[in-house]
Amino acid sequence: MFVSKLIFAALAATTAIAHPGPDHAVPRAEIQRRDGLAKQCANHAADFNRRRIAKRAMQKRWEGSGHNTTFEITTEAPYYDTIQNDTCVLNPEVTQGPYIWPRSQTLRQDMAEDQAGVPLWLDVGVLDMATCEPLPNVLLDFWHCNATGSYSSFTHLSPNTPFEKLLAELNITDFEIGVTDLHTDDTTFLRGMWPTDENGVMEIKTIFPGET
Ligand SMILES: *[C@@H]1O[C@H](CO)[C@@H](O)[C@H](O)[C@H]1NC(C)=O
Ligand SMILES: *[C@@H]1O[C@H](CO)[C@@H](O)[C@H](O)[C@H]1NC(C)=O
Ligand SMILES: *[C@@H]1O[C@H](CO)[C@@H](O)[C@H](O)[C@H]1NC(C)=O
Ligand SMILES: *[C@@H]1O[C@H](CO)[C@@H](O)[C@H](O)[C@H]1NC(C)=O
């Protein structure tokens, strides 16, 4: 999963922050804090239709990002009408980024392209962790590798080469997260973005990577 690390490093955050694994133990107090946050919102997740946060997020994200894209979207109905309270509740952790690569930005609800795998529909609900209210119009950005570890836009980098070695091979000595551009091409498979609807939910289709 070396390229996994690479992509997270290049696009999202430091690997340590994006993937706190066993070697980056999260302190017990922090786990308790997150647990509390998740619990605090559990009821609201079930009851998320009460109030709505006024327009936000998507507009802001585009402003000042050097893009002038304006678009009107009619979202397809997600499978669930409301945010489900029996699924994962994520806590804020990564605050760096996003590091947008315009050529691989893909506003769509089907990001599978021709990649092999089991069709997978993701229904995602977004809550404001401070107020526990659903957040409409939040643009969610997804990307993942294919069954053999390759990420689109980076297909010329070997997924089997450790990141440090990769940098050495590329003669890069001043790698900086979000600054150093390691993209190799404009392929877009397994990347997609879509906004939440007025109920704070969105649906996007991809594949669970695997050979068929
Ligand atoms: C989740 O929703 C169900 C059905 O509305 C409700 O019975 C249950 O108490 C909720 N659980 C939490 C943790 O809010
Ligand atoms: C974006 O829009 C502004 C105002 O209409 C314009 O001045 C600017 O040239 C546009 N930028 C691009 C990259 O199209
Ligand atoms: C993953 O993507 C790479 C680069 O495009 C490709 O060579 C490889 O065949 C893909 N893997 C699968 C399982 O399709
Ligand atoms: C990196 O530097 C070495 C030694 O100067 C050179 O042989 C190699 O072609 C360079 N690689 C790249 C990708 O520039």
Side-chain angles (χ1 to χ4, degrees):
M1 296 308 289
F2 292 113
V3 165
S4 157
K5 289 188 180 174
L6 162 67
I7 304 310
F8 276 96
L11 295 182
T14 64
T15 58
I17 293 171
H19 278 174
D23 49 338
H24 302 284
V26 179
R28 176 172 292 273
E30 174 60 11
I31 291 172
Q32 275 166 355
R33 188 188 70 82
R34 293 180 197 177
D35 198 39
L37 273 176
K39 284 211 179 85
Q40 168 197 314
C41 285
N43 286 322
H44 296 76
D47 181 32
F48 83 107
N49 257 328
R50 280 185 313 141
R51 266 192 297 135
R52 304 219 172 110
I53 304 276
K55 260 173 74 107
R56 43 176 296 173
M58 190 162 66
Q59 189 81 31
K60 283 200 187 125
R61 176 173 279 194
W62 288 96
E63 273 168 15
S65 64
H67 307 287
N68 272 349
T69 317
T70 52
F71 47 82
E72 221 174 275
I73 297 168
T74 309
T75 54
E76 284 173 21
Y79 183 77
Y80 293 108
D81 290 334
T82 59
I83 293 175
Q84 302 298 294
N85 71 349
D86 57 353
T87 53
C88 311
V89 177
L90 300 182
N91 282 295
E93 175 157 306
V94 176
T95 52
Q96 284 177 289
Y99 302 114
I100 300 294
W101 174 248
R103 282 183 282 164
S104 62
Q105 276 179 282
T106 42
L107 192 66
R108 58 185 176 181
Q109 274 182 288
D110 186 344
M111 55 195 261
E113 293 188 13
D114 57 354
Q115 294 298 310
V118 180
L120 174 68
W121 280 265
L122 297 169
D123 271 288
V124 180
V126 181
L127 290 179
D128 185 323
M129 291 302 286
T131 64
C132 296
E133 296 302 323
L135 284 171
N137 221 20
V138 173
L139 189 63
L140 296 185
D141 192 352
F142 296 83
W143 66 95
H144 63 89
C145 64
N146 71 7
T148 44
S150 282
Y151 286 88
S152 59
S153 307
F154 296 88
T155 60
H156 300 309
L157 302 182
S158 165
N160 300 316
T161 305
F163 189 51
E164 297 301 326
K165 187 155 176 263
L166 201 59
L167 290 183
E169 281 174 12
L170 295 169
N171 295 335
I172 293 173
T173 53
D174 56 352
F175 177 77
E176 225 181 304
I177 291 166
V179 176
T180 310
D181 182 12
L182 300 177
H183 290 80
T184 63
D185 58 89
D186 291 348
T187 53
T188 56
F189 61 83
L190 306 181
R191 291 178 190 277
M193 306 190 298
W194 203 255
T196 55
D197 66 12
E198 72 276 10
N199 296 321
V201 296
M202 60 80 74
E203 179 176 296
I204 194 163
K205 186 192 173 202
T206 183
I207 47 102
F208 185 90
E211 306 274 9
T212 50

